[in-house]
Amino acid sequence: PASVSVNVENYVPTSSNGTVVLYGPAVGDSHGERIAYYGTPGHSSLSLGTHALEPGKYYVRVYTASGFSTTQPYALRVSY
């Protein structure tokens, strides 16, 4: 397995509730099972920490309960 970490920085949703989710491994048209989830109101950094993942296709989803900044982009960093 590979050690993979997922971080979102400079995240400024217009609501106070942002979330980042890691799914996988993908099978066919499915995005796979939810592996990790993080969502704490009022934080501009979201981190899923480090996970040991087998080879395959994985998905990261970043979303907010309502609205997002159109002038301040966030940074999504996946390290392995």
Side-chain angles (χ1 to χ4, degrees):
S3 292
V4 177
S5 64
V6 177
N7 297 292
V8 179
E9 300 166 355
N10 300 321
Y11 185 65
V12 185
T14 56
S15 72
S16 62
N17 198 6
T19 305
V20 60
V21 184
L22 174 63
Y23 295 99
V27 178
D29 291 336
S30 168
H31 55 63
E33 299 294 319
R34 185 172 77 179
I35 296 170
Y37 163 92
Y38 182 82
T40 301
H43 286 82
S44 62
S45 294
L46 307 172
S47 177
L48 295 178
T50 302
H51 298 275
L53 302 177
E54 296 294 331
K57 187 185 294 185
Y58 295 85
Y59 293 90
V60 175
R61 180 178 180 193
V62 178
Y63 61 99
T64 182
S66 63
F68 56 90
S69 174
T70 58
T71 59
Q72 185 172 357
Y74 62 82
L76 172 63
R77 301 194 194 290
V78 179
S79 304
Y80 56 95

mmCIF file of all heavy atoms in Angstrom, residues 17-66:
data_model
loop_
_atom_site.group_PDB
_atom_site.id
_atom_site.type_symbol
_atom_site.label_atom_id
_atom_site.label_comp_id
_atom_site.label_asym_id
_atom_site.label_seq_id
_atom_site.Cartn_x
_atom_site.Cartn_y
_atom_site.Cartn_z
ATOM 1 N N ASN A 17 -19.726 25.686 6.917
ATOM 2 C CA ASN A 17 -19.597 24.244 6.995
ATOM 3 C C ASN A 17 -19.034 23.663 5.702
ATOM 4 O O ASN A 17 -19.742 23.524 4.719
ATOM 5 C CB ASN A 17 -20.959 23.624 7.300
ATOM 6 C CG ASN A 17 -20.852 22.222 7.808
ATOM 7 O OD1 ASN A 17 -19.764 21.726 8.053
ATOM 8 N ND2 ASN A 17 -21.980 21.571 7.956
ATOM 9 N N GLY A 18 -17.745 23.337 5.705
ATOM 10 C CA GLY A 18 -17.111 22.721 4.553
ATOM 11 C C GLY A 18 -16.729 21.288 4.863
ATOM 12 O O GLY A 18 -16.518 20.924 6.020
ATOM 13 N N THR A 19 -16.629 20.469 3.822
ATOM 14 C CA THR A 19 -16.344 19.052 4.007
ATOM 15 C C THR A 19 -15.428 18.554 2.907
ATOM 16 O O THR A 19 -15.536 18.975 1.760
ATOM 17 C CB THR A 19 -17.653 18.244 3.965
ATOM 18 O OG1 THR A 19 -18.557 18.763 4.924
ATOM 19 C CG2 THR A 19 -17.418 16.781 4.253
ATOM 20 N N VAL A 20 -14.530 17.637 3.268
ATOM 21 C CA VAL A 20 -13.714 16.935 2.287
ATOM 22 C C VAL A 20 -13.892 15.437 2.558
ATOM 23 O O VAL A 20 -13.919 15.005 3.711
ATOM 24 C CB VAL A 20 -12.227 17.361 2.337
ATOM 25 C CG1 VAL A 20 -11.602 17.097 3.677
ATOM 26 C CG2 VAL A 20 -11.425 16.680 1.238
ATOM 27 N N VAL A 21 -14.066 14.659 1.474
ATOM 28 C CA VAL A 21 -14.317 13.224 1.592
ATOM 29 C C VAL A 21 -13.417 12.481 0.607
ATOM 30 O O VAL A 21 -13.224 12.914 -0.526
ATOM 31 C CB VAL A 21 -15.795 12.885 1.272
ATOM 32 C CG1 VAL A 21 -16.074 11.404 1.482
ATOM 33 C CG2 VAL A 21 -16.746 13.718 2.108
ATOM 34 N N LEU A 22 -12.864 11.351 1.044
ATOM 35 C CA LEU A 22 -12.071 10.467 0.192
ATOM 36 C C LEU A 22 -12.866 9.190 -0.036
ATOM 37 O O LEU A 22 -13.326 8.565 0.918
ATOM 38 C CB LEU A 22 -10.737 10.141 0.868
ATOM 39 C CG LEU A 22 -9.835 9.115 0.176
ATOM 40 C CD1 LEU A 22 -9.397 9.610 -1.197
ATOM 41 C CD2 LEU A 22 -8.643 8.789 1.056
ATOM 42 N N TYR A 23 -13.059 8.833 -1.327
ATOM 43 C CA TYR A 23 -13.786 7.628 -1.709
ATOM 44 C C TYR A 23 -12.866 6.687 -2.476
ATOM 45 O O TYR A 23 -11.961 7.134 -3.175
ATOM 46 C CB TYR A 23 -14.947 7.963 -2.645
ATOM 47 C CG TYR A 23 -16.044 8.791 -2.061
ATOM 48 C CD1 TYR A 23 -16.088 10.159 -2.287
ATOM 49 C CD2 TYR A 23 -17.055 8.210 -1.314
ATOM 50 C CE1 TYR A 23 -17.117 10.932 -1.777
ATOM 51 C CE2 TYR A 23 -18.086 8.979 -0.800
ATOM 52 C CZ TYR A 23 -18.117 10.331 -1.035
ATOM 53 O OH TYR A 23 -19.135 11.091 -0.529
ATOM 54 N N GLY A 24 -13.160 5.391 -2.421
ATOM 55 C CA GLY A 24 -12.438 4.454 -3.262
ATOM 56 C C GLY A 24 -12.382 3.075 -2.644
ATOM 57 O O GLY A 24 -12.945 2.846 -1.587
ATOM 58 N N PRO A 25 -11.706 2.158 -3.240
ATOM 59 C CA PRO A 25 -11.307 2.252 -4.645
ATOM 60 C C PRO A 25 -12.521 2.153 -5.558
ATOM 61 O O PRO A 25 -13.484 1.460 -5.238
ATOM 62 C CB PRO A 25 -10.365 1.069 -4.836
ATOM 63 C CG PRO A 25 -10.740 0.091 -3.785
ATOM 64 C CD PRO A 25 -11.282 0.904 -2.634
ATOM 65 N N ALA A 26 -12.466 2.847 -6.677
ATOM 66 C CA ALA A 26 -13.577 2.881 -7.619
ATOM 67 C C ALA A 26 -13.671 1.550 -8.362
ATOM 68 O O ALA A 26 -12.668 0.947 -8.704
ATOM 69 C CB ALA A 26 -13.380 4.016 -8.612
ATOM 70 N N VAL A 27 -14.908 1.122 -8.596
ATOM 71 C CA VAL A 27 -15.168 -0.099 -9.351
ATOM 72 C C VAL A 27 -16.220 0.232 -10.394
ATOM 73 O O VAL A 27 -17.333 0.610 -10.057
ATOM 74 C CB VAL A 27 -15.669 -1.234 -8.432
ATOM 75 C CG1 VAL A 27 -15.971 -2.477 -9.243
ATOM 76 C CG2 VAL A 27 -14.659 -1.519 -7.338
ATOM 77 N N GLY A 28 -15.850 0.117 -11.673
ATOM 78 C CA GLY A 28 -16.789 0.457 -12.742
ATOM 79 C C GLY A 28 -17.203 1.913 -12.657
ATOM 80 O O GLY A 28 -16.374 2.797 -12.559
ATOM 81 N N ASP A 29 -18.513 2.172 -12.646
ATOM 82 C CA ASP A 29 -19.032 3.538 -12.561
ATOM 83 C C ASP A 29 -19.179 4.025 -11.123
ATOM 84 O O ASP A 29 -19.533 5.172 -10.883
ATOM 85 C CB ASP A 29 -20.389 3.635 -13.258
ATOM 86 C CG ASP A 29 -20.274 3.488 -14.760
ATOM 87 O OD1 ASP A 29 -19.178 3.771 -15.292
ATOM 88 O OD2 ASP A 29 -21.259 3.090 -15.406
ATOM 89 N N SER A 30 -18.905 3.164 -10.167
ATOM 90 C CA SER A 30 -19.042 3.525 -8.763
ATOM 91 C C SER A 30 -17.806 4.273 -8.275
ATOM 92 O O SER A 30 -16.692 3.987 -8.690
ATOM 93 C CB SER A 30 -19.219 2.260 -7.918
ATOM 94 O OG SER A 30 -19.085 2.541 -6.545
ATOM 95 N N HIS A 31 -17.982 5.230 -7.357
ATOM 96 C CA HIS A 31 -16.839 5.947 -6.784
ATOM 97 C C HIS A 31 -16.249 5.201 -5.596
ATOM 98 O O HIS A 31 -15.283 5.648 -4.993
ATOM 99 C CB HIS A 31 -17.200 7.378 -6.389
ATOM 100 C CG HIS A 31 -18.362 7.485 -5.450
ATOM 101 N ND1 HIS A 31 -18.355 6.966 -4.186
ATOM 102 C CD2 HIS A 31 -19.574 8.053 -5.615
ATOM 103 C CE1 HIS A 31 -19.516 7.212 -3.598
ATOM 104 N NE2 HIS A 31 -20.277 7.864 -4.443
ATOM 105 N N GLY A 32 -16.818 4.055 -5.247
ATOM 106 C CA GLY A 32 -16.304 3.265 -4.134
ATOM 107 C C GLY A 32 -16.896 3.683 -2.807
ATOM 108 O O GLY A 32 -17.796 4.506 -2.730
ATOM 109 N N GLU A 33 -16.367 3.126 -1.750
ATOM 110 C CA GLU A 33 -16.843 3.404 -0.395
ATOM 111 C C GLU A 33 -16.168 4.643 0.187
ATOM 112 O O GLU A 33 -15.063 4.990 -0.214
ATOM 113 C CB GLU A 33 -16.536 2.209 0.508
ATOM 114 C CG GLU A 33 -17.198 0.930 0.081
ATOM 115 C CD GLU A 33 -18.715 0.989 0.190
ATOM 116 O OE1 GLU A 33 -19.215 1.549 1.184
ATOM 117 O OE2 GLU A 33 -19.383 0.497 -0.732
ATOM 118 N N ARG A 34 -16.824 5.253 1.137
ATOM 119 C CA ARG A 34 -16.222 6.397 1.824
ATOM 120 C C ARG A 34 -15.112 5.871 2.738
ATOM 121 O O ARG A 34 -15.335 5.039 3.600
ATOM 122 C CB ARG A 34 -17.261 7.153 2.637
ATOM 123 C CG ARG A 34 -16.688 8.414 3.271
ATOM 124 C CD ARG A 34 -17.742 9.245 3.900
ATOM 125 N NE ARG A 34 -18.128 8.659 5.175
ATOM 126 C CZ ARG A 34 -19.037 9.180 5.980
ATOM 127 N NH1 ARG A 34 -19.670 10.272 5.641
ATOM 128 N NH2 ARG A 34 -19.330 8.595 7.118
ATOM 129 N N ILE A 35 -13.895 6.382 2.533
ATOM 130 C CA ILE A 35 -12.739 5.974 3.319
ATOM 131 C C ILE A 35 -12.512 6.935 4.476
ATOM 132 O O ILE A 35 -12.231 6.518 5.591
ATOM 133 C CB ILE A 35 -11.476 5.914 2.429
ATOM 134 C CG1 ILE A 35 -11.654 4.848 1.361
ATOM 135 C CG2 ILE A 35 -10.231 5.658 3.262
ATOM 136 C CD1 ILE A 35 -10.575 4.890 0.294
ATOM 137 N N ALA A 36 -12.600 8.235 4.188
ATOM 138 C CA ALA A 36 -12.332 9.241 5.212
ATOM 139 C C ALA A 36 -13.210 10.461 4.954
ATOM 140 O O ALA A 36 -13.578 10.763 3.827
ATOM 141 C CB ALA A 36 -10.863 9.645 5.196
ATOM 142 N N TYR A 37 -13.511 11.165 6.038
ATOM 143 C CA TYR A 37 -14.410 12.318 5.989
ATOM 144 C C TYR A 37 -13.928 13.328 7.021
ATOM 145 O O TYR A 37 -13.537 12.947 8.129
ATOM 146 C CB TYR A 37 -15.816 11.836 6.336
ATOM 147 C CG TYR A 37 -16.795 12.912 6.724
ATOM 148 C CD1 TYR A 37 -17.594 13.497 5.760
ATOM 149 C CD2 TYR A 37 -16.932 13.321 8.038
ATOM 150 C CE1 TYR A 37 -18.516 14.472 6.102
ATOM 151 C CE2 TYR A 37 -17.847 14.294 8.399
ATOM 152 C CZ TYR A 37 -18.634 14.864 7.421
ATOM 153 O OH TYR A 37 -19.539 15.828 7.757
ATOM 154 N N TYR A 38 -13.933 14.615 6.667
ATOM 155 C CA TYR A 38 -13.623 15.652 7.637
ATOM 156 C C TYR A 38 -14.467 16.874 7.324
ATOM 157 O O TYR A 38 -14.491 17.342 6.185
ATOM 158 C CB TYR A 38 -12.140 16.031 7.604
ATOM 159 C CG TYR A 38 -11.780 17.079 8.641
ATOM 160 C CD1 TYR A 38 -11.541 16.717 9.953
ATOM 161 C CD2 TYR A 38 -11.719 18.411 8.299
ATOM 162 C CE1 TYR A 38 -11.232 17.675 10.912
ATOM 163 C CE2 TYR A 38 -11.413 19.371 9.243
ATOM 164 C CZ TYR A 38 -11.172 18.998 10.548
ATOM 165 O OH TYR A 38 -10.872 19.943 11.486
ATOM 166 N N GLY A 39 -15.129 17.385 8.306
ATOM 167 C CA GLY A 39 -15.908 18.598 8.143
ATOM 168 C C GLY A 39 -16.158 19.242 9.489
ATOM 169 O O GLY A 39 -16.919 18.717 10.282
ATOM 170 N N THR A 40 -15.474 20.331 9.760
ATOM 171 C CA THR A 40 -15.646 21.060 11.008
ATOM 172 C C THR A 40 -15.979 22.509 10.674
ATOM 173 O O THR A 40 -15.222 23.154 9.957
ATOM 174 C CB THR A 40 -14.362 20.984 11.859
ATOM 175 O OG1 THR A 40 -14.074 19.616 12.130
ATOM 176 C CG2 THR A 40 -14.540 21.719 13.168
ATOM 177 N N PRO A 41 -17.094 23.021 11.167
ATOM 178 C CA PRO A 41 -17.482 24.397 10.851
ATOM 179 C C PRO A 41 -16.402 25.410 11.218
ATOM 180 O O PRO A 41 -15.740 25.291 12.248
ATOM 181 C CB PRO A 41 -18.728 24.606 11.705
ATOM 182 C CG PRO A 41 -19.282 23.240 11.912
ATOM 183 C CD PRO A 41 -18.080 22.346 12.002
ATOM 184 N N GLY A 42 -16.219 26.382 10.320
ATOM 185 C CA GLY A 42 -15.350 27.513 10.610
ATOM 186 C C GLY A 42 -13.866 27.307 10.378
ATOM 187 O O GLY A 42 -13.067 28.146 10.742
ATOM 188 N N HIS A 43 -13.449 26.217 9.773
ATOM 189 C CA HIS A 43 -12.033 25.977 9.522
ATOM 190 C C HIS A 43 -11.677 26.249 8.062
ATOM 191 O O HIS A 43 -12.410 25.865 7.159
ATOM 192 C CB HIS A 43 -11.654 24.537 9.868
ATOM 193 C CG HIS A 43 -11.583 24.296 11.342
ATOM 194 N ND1 HIS A 43 -12.694 24.042 12.102
ATOM 195 C CD2 HIS A 43 -10.528 24.294 12.181
ATOM 196 C CE1 HIS A 43 -12.334 23.881 13.358
ATOM 197 N NE2 HIS A 43 -11.030 24.030 13.442
ATOM 198 N N SER A 44 -10.529 26.885 7.822
ATOM 199 C CA SER A 44 -10.091 27.148 6.453
ATOM 200 C C SER A 44 -9.147 26.064 5.953
ATOM 201 O O SER A 44 -8.749 26.077 4.803
ATOM 202 C CB SER A 44 -9.409 28.512 6.354
ATOM 203 O OG SER A 44 -8.258 28.537 7.174
ATOM 204 N N SER A 45 -8.787 25.112 6.820
ATOM 205 C CA SER A 45 -7.969 23.969 6.424
ATOM 206 C C SER A 45 -8.710 22.695 6.792
ATOM 207 O O SER A 45 -9.216 22.560 7.903
ATOM 208 C CB SER A 45 -6.614 23.979 7.124
ATOM 209 O OG SER A 45 -5.848 25.073 6.707
ATOM 210 N N LEU A 46 -8.804 21.784 5.841
ATOM 211 C CA LEU A 46 -9.453 20.500 6.053
ATOM 212 C C LEU A 46 -8.425 19.423 5.748
ATOM 213 O O LEU A 46 -7.788 19.456 4.692
ATOM 214 C CB LEU A 46 -10.660 20.342 5.129
ATOM 215 C CG LEU A 46 -11.702 21.461 5.152
ATOM 216 C CD1 LEU A 46 -12.724 21.251 4.041
ATOM 217 C CD2 LEU A 46 -12.392 21.519 6.488
ATOM 218 N N SER A 47 -8.248 18.462 6.637
ATOM 219 C CA SER A 47 -7.238 17.434 6.429
ATOM 220 C C SER A 47 -7.816 16.056 6.709
ATOM 221 O O SER A 47 -8.515 15.859 7.701
ATOM 222 C CB SER A 47 -6.038 17.669 7.352
ATOM 223 O OG SER A 47 -5.102 16.630 7.197
ATOM 224 N N LEU A 48 -7.515 15.129 5.817
ATOM 225 C CA LEU A 48 -7.933 13.748 6.025
ATOM 226 C C LEU A 48 -6.827 12.909 6.634
ATOM 227 O O LEU A 48 -6.996 11.730 6.871
ATOM 228 C CB LEU A 48 -8.377 13.116 4.702
ATOM 229 C CG LEU A 48 -9.620 13.726 4.087
ATOM 230 C CD1 LEU A 48 -9.935 13.045 2.766
ATOM 231 C CD2 LEU A 48 -10.801 13.622 5.024
ATOM 232 N N GLY A 49 -5.662 13.508 6.843
ATOM 233 C CA GLY A 49 -4.557 12.755 7.418
ATOM 234 C C GLY A 49 -3.958 11.783 6.410
ATOM 235 O O GLY A 49 -4.145 11.913 5.210
ATOM 236 N N THR A 50 -3.250 10.769 6.906
ATOM 237 C CA THR A 50 -2.558 9.818 6.051
ATOM 238 C C THR A 50 -3.258 8.469 6.104
ATOM 239 O O THR A 50 -3.636 7.998 7.173
ATOM 240 C CB THR A 50 -1.097 9.663 6.503
ATOM 241 O OG1 THR A 50 -0.474 10.956 6.459
ATOM 242 C CG2 THR A 50 -0.332 8.723 5.594
ATOM 243 N N HIS A 51 -3.415 7.864 4.917
ATOM 244 C CA HIS A 51 -4.078 6.563 4.797
ATOM 245 C C HIS A 51 -3.226 5.642 3.934
ATOM 246 O O HIS A 51 -2.628 6.087 2.948
ATOM 247 C CB HIS A 51 -5.464 6.718 4.156
ATOM 248 C CG HIS A 51 -6.374 7.563 4.978
ATOM 249 N ND1 HIS A 51 -7.114 7.069 6.006
ATOM 250 C CD2 HIS A 51 -6.618 8.890 4.932
ATOM 251 C CE1 HIS A 51 -7.799 8.052 6.562
ATOM 252 N NE2 HIS A 51 -7.507 9.168 5.933
ATOM 253 N N ALA A 52 -3.190 4.367 4.281
ATOM 254 C CA ALA A 52 -2.496 3.360 3.475
ATOM 255 C C ALA A 52 -3.499 2.830 2.454
ATOM 256 O O ALA A 52 -4.486 2.191 2.817
ATOM 257 C CB ALA A 52 -1.980 2.233 4.356
ATOM 258 N N LEU A 53 -3.253 3.128 1.168
ATOM 259 C CA LEU A 53 -4.197 2.756 0.112
ATOM 260 C C LEU A 53 -3.559 1.781 -0.875
ATOM 261 O O LEU A 53 -2.414 1.952 -1.280
ATOM 262 C CB LEU A 53 -4.669 4.000 -0.638
ATOM 263 C CG LEU A 53 -5.350 5.085 0.199
ATOM 264 C CD1 LEU A 53 -5.690 6.277 -0.679
ATOM 265 C CD2 LEU A 53 -6.590 4.534 0.890
ATOM 266 N N GLU A 54 -4.334 0.791 -1.272
ATOM 267 C CA GLU A 54 -3.920 -0.156 -2.301
ATOM 268 C C GLU A 54 -4.014 0.532 -3.666
ATOM 269 O O GLU A 54 -4.715 1.531 -3.817
ATOM 270 C CB GLU A 54 -4.830 -1.386 -2.272
ATOM 271 C CG GLU A 54 -4.736 -2.195 -0.987
ATOM 272 C CD GLU A 54 -3.373 -2.844 -0.810
ATOM 273 O OE1 GLU A 54 -2.709 -3.157 -1.816
ATOM 274 O OE2 GLU A 54 -2.986 -3.037 0.360
ATOM 275 N N PRO A 55 -3.329 0.029 -4.687
ATOM 276 C CA PRO A 55 -3.445 0.609 -6.028
ATOM 277 C C PRO A 55 -4.906 0.632 -6.486
ATOM 278 O O PRO A 55 -5.675 -0.274 -6.178
ATOM 279 C CB PRO A 55 -2.619 -0.342 -6.897
ATOM 280 C CG PRO A 55 -1.662 -0.982 -5.958
ATOM 281 C CD PRO A 55 -2.406 -1.100 -4.652
ATOM 282 N N GLY A 56 -5.273 1.677 -7.196
ATOM 283 C CA GLY A 56 -6.636 1.804 -7.701
ATOM 284 C C GLY A 56 -6.978 3.252 -7.971
ATOM 285 O O GLY A 56 -6.148 4.146 -7.862
ATOM 286 N N LYS A 57 -8.233 3.491 -8.320
ATOM 287 C CA LYS A 57 -8.727 4.837 -8.612
ATOM 288 C C LYS A 57 -9.510 5.323 -7.399
ATOM 289 O O LYS A 57 -10.393 4.630 -6.892
ATOM 290 C CB LYS A 57 -9.645 4.827 -9.831
ATOM 291 C CG LYS A 57 -10.070 6.208 -10.286
ATOM 292 C CD LYS A 57 -11.071 6.165 -11.430
ATOM 293 C CE LYS A 57 -10.459 5.609 -12.677
ATOM 294 N NZ LYS A 57 -11.399 5.679 -13.825
ATOM 295 N N TYR A 58 -9.175 6.541 -6.929
ATOM 296 C CA TYR A 58 -9.809 7.125 -5.759
ATOM 297 C C TYR A 58 -10.334 8.508 -6.122
ATOM 298 O O TYR A 58 -9.846 9.152 -7.050
ATOM 299 C CB TYR A 58 -8.800 7.231 -4.607
ATOM 300 C CG TYR A 58 -8.347 5.876 -4.126
ATOM 301 C CD1 TYR A 58 -7.307 5.201 -4.753
ATOM 302 C CD2 TYR A 58 -8.966 5.272 -3.053
ATOM 303 C CE1 TYR A 58 -6.903 3.942 -4.331
ATOM 304 C CE2 TYR A 58 -8.574 4.021 -2.609
ATOM 305 C CZ TYR A 58 -7.544 3.361 -3.248
ATOM 306 O OH TYR A 58 -7.157 2.122 -2.821
ATOM 307 N N TYR A 59 -11.331 8.974 -5.373
ATOM 308 C CA TYR A 59 -11.927 10.284 -5.609
ATOM 309 C C TYR A 59 -11.898 11.116 -4.333
ATOM 310 O O TYR A 59 -12.124 10.594 -3.248
ATOM 311 C CB TYR A 59 -13.384 10.138 -6.057
ATOM 312 C CG TYR A 59 -13.518 9.496 -7.413
ATOM 313 C CD1 TYR A 59 -13.635 8.118 -7.543
ATOM 314 C CD2 TYR A 59 -13.519 10.276 -8.560
ATOM 315 C CE1 TYR A 59 -13.746 7.524 -8.790
ATOM 316 C CE2 TYR A 59 -13.632 9.698 -9.808
ATOM 317 C CZ TYR A 59 -13.753 8.326 -9.914
ATOM 318 O OH TYR A 59 -13.852 7.748 -11.143
ATOM 319 N N VAL A 60 -11.645 12.418 -4.502
ATOM 320 C CA VAL A 60 -11.720 13.376 -3.408
ATOM 321 C C VAL A 60 -12.838 14.343 -3.751
ATOM 322 O O VAL A 60 -12.892 14.879 -4.859
ATOM 323 C CB VAL A 60 -10.397 14.156 -3.228
ATOM 324 C CG1 VAL A 60 -10.549 15.227 -2.164
ATOM 325 C CG2 VAL A 60 -9.264 13.204 -2.891
ATOM 326 N N ARG A 61 -13.731 14.570 -2.808
ATOM 327 C CA ARG A 61 -14.827 15.512 -3.014
ATOM 328 C C ARG A 61 -14.728 16.616 -1.962
ATOM 329 O O ARG A 61 -14.633 16.335 -0.770
ATOM 330 C CB ARG A 61 -16.174 14.814 -2.889
ATOM 331 C CG ARG A 61 -17.338 15.738 -3.103
ATOM 332 C CD ARG A 61 -18.648 15.007 -3.027
ATOM 333 N NE ARG A 61 -19.730 15.951 -3.237
ATOM 334 C CZ ARG A 61 -20.983 15.698 -2.995
ATOM 335 N NH1 ARG A 61 -21.337 14.516 -2.536
ATOM 336 N NH2 ARG A 61 -21.906 16.606 -3.200
ATOM 337 N N VAL A 62 -14.745 17.859 -2.421
ATOM 338 C CA VAL A 62 -14.742 19.023 -1.531
ATOM 339 C C VAL A 62 -16.065 19.748 -1.769
ATOM 340 O O VAL A 62 -16.393 20.082 -2.895
ATOM 341 C CB VAL A 62 -13.560 19.971 -1.857
ATOM 342 C CG1 VAL A 62 -13.587 21.197 -0.953
ATOM 343 C CG2 VAL A 62 -12.233 19.238 -1.748
ATOM 344 N N TYR A 63 -16.826 19.952 -0.698
ATOM 345 C CA TYR A 63 -18.096 20.650 -0.875
ATOM 346 C C TYR A 63 -18.487 21.419 0.373
ATOM 347 O O TYR A 63 -17.890 21.268 1.422
ATOM 348 C CB TYR A 63 -19.209 19.706 -1.309
ATOM 349 C CG TYR A 63 -19.542 18.593 -0.339
ATOM 350 C CD1 TYR A 63 -20.619 18.703 0.518
ATOM 351 C CD2 TYR A 63 -18.796 17.421 -0.306
ATOM 352 C CE1 TYR A 63 -20.942 17.688 1.395
ATOM 353 C CE2 TYR A 63 -19.114 16.396 0.568
ATOM 354 C CZ TYR A 63 -20.189 16.534 1.405
ATOM 355 O OH TYR A 63 -20.504 15.523 2.269
ATOM 356 N N THR A 64 -19.504 22.243 0.212
ATOM 357 C CA THR A 64 -20.003 23.078 1.294
ATOM 358 C C THR A 64 -21.514 22.957 1.370
ATOM 359 O O THR A 64 -22.162 22.581 0.390
ATOM 360 C CB THR A 64 -19.590 24.547 1.074
ATOM 361 O OG1 THR A 64 -20.049 25.314 2.171
ATOM 362 C CG2 THR A 64 -20.148 25.118 -0.197
ATOM 363 N N ALA A 65 -22.066 23.265 2.530
ATOM 364 C CA ALA A 65 -23.511 23.175 2.727
ATOM 365 C C ALA A 65 -24.239 24.167 1.818
ATOM 366 O O ALA A 65 -25.296 23.868 1.289
ATOM 367 C CB ALA A 65 -23.861 23.431 4.188
ATOM 368 N N SER A 66 -23.648 25.352 1.621
ATOM 369 C CA SER A 66 -24.255 26.334 0.720
ATOM 370 C C SER A 66 -23.226 27.380 0.325
ATOM 371 O O SER A 66 -22.580 27.977 1.175
ATOM 372 C CB SER A 66 -25.456 27.017 1.376
ATOM 373 O OG SER A 66 -25.054 27.746 2.500
#
